[in-house]
Amino acid sequence: MKYLKLIRFQNLAMLALMQLVVLYGFLKLQNIPLALAIWQYYLLLISTVCIAAGGYIINNIMDQDADLEN
């Protein structure tokens, strides 16, 4: 449970959801051709979520001193 709090799972889920909304709620409905195949778009989604999770972990490590003061 602490791991999910560390990576801010709610924010990551929202990030992934918004990428899917853009794909299916906008691009597909407007018949806009994509430069990526669907599996490449999902790979982009997964990599974006992993990069954001890594950023959250680094942020938590770097802000330990500030969090102790507050």
Side-chain angles (χ1 to χ4, degrees):
M1 190 65 171
K2 289 187 177 188
Y3 179 72
L4 292 179
K5 187 176 179 183
L6 175 69
I7 63 170
R8 300 176 190 165
F9 180 71
Q10 298 91 350
N11 295 0
L12 296 177
M14 186 62 70
L15 176 68
L17 177 67
M18 288 300 107
Q19 286 183 320
L20 290 173
V21 165
V22 167
L23 176 62
Y24 291 110
F26 179 70
L27 297 175
K28 293 286 186 176
L29 289 178
Q30 300 294 326
N31 292 325
I32 297 173
L34 299 176
L36 301 174
I38 195 69
W39 68 270
Q40 292 171 324
Y41 191 86
Y42 285 125
L43 189 61
L44 175 68
L45 188 146
I46 291 168
S47 63
T48 304
V49 168
C50 289
I51 290 170
Y56 288 141
I57 291 170
I58 291 170
N59 184 40
N60 284 336
I61 291 170
M62 299 304 280
D63 286 346
Q64 283 181 350
D65 295 333
D67 291 340
L68 288 176
E69 289 178 11
N70 295 332

